[in-house]
Amino acid sequence: QLQACGGGLVQAGGSLRLSCAASGRSFNRYGMGWFRQAPGKEREFVAGITWSGGSTAYVDSVRGRFTISREKSKNTMYLQMNSLKPEDTAVYYCAALKGGPWRDYEAYDYWGHGTLVTVSS
């Protein structure tokens, strides 16, 4: 029901935009978030956005470089990633939650398959 795409290989300093398209149901009343998981590491909260789009949150390591947004008419969420660094390399996942703490992956109700982002130095 959630499909993330837009990953790829990019050089350090470059940009990518991830998309998360929902199908089968509307997520317009759900908060949504992006997580990432690098090899050998735990899944990490990256960014979250409320159902209205009026409030966002970011992990400190991406604040100022990444921007989360959503387009409710298209049932789609985005993550614009600029000034990418090698440490941003990970599989990125999108997810939706009805309620609960954004930063806690266990609070999320729906998950998409991940999309791989690789940043070369």
Side-chain angles (χ1 to χ4, degrees):
Q1 291 180 317
L2 293 174
Q3 180 63 50
C5 64
L9 173 63
V10 64
Q11 289 187 331
S15 298
L16 284 174
R17 188 176 82 155
L18 305 184
S19 299
C20 175
S23 62
R25 66 177 299 147
S26 171
F27 287 93
N28 287 344
R29 299 294 292 186
Y30 284 72
M32 298 191 74
W34 288 97
F35 286 75
R36 66 186 179 186
Q37 189 165 18
K41 295 187 177 181
E42 294 186 350
R43 191 167 298 192
E44 173 189 38
F45 170 81
V46 176
I49 188 167
T50 55
W51 69 268
S52 68
S55 184
T56 58
Y58 299 90
V59 67
D60 287 345
S61 59
V62 309
R63 189 175 291 112
R65 300 188 296 122
F66 291 10
T67 303
I68 188 172
S69 62
R70 66 189 301 172
E71 193 168 357
K72 295 174 71 174
S73 63
K74 294 185 177 181
N75 219 11
T76 301
M77 175 179 65
Y78 306 96
L79 186 67
Q80 178 66 43
M81 306 186 295
N82 299 328
S83 302
L84 282 161
K85 303 176 180 180
E87 51 263 43
D88 294 319
T89 295
V91 176
Y92 284 71
Y93 299 87
C94 61
L97 81 167
K98 192 65 173 175
W102 287 353
R103 300 175 187 271
D104 183 358
Y105 72 88
E106 293 184 341
Y108 285 75
D109 303 292
Y110 297 93
W111 288 87
H113 294 293
T115 184
L116 176 62
V117 172
T118 303
V119 184
S120 63
S121 57

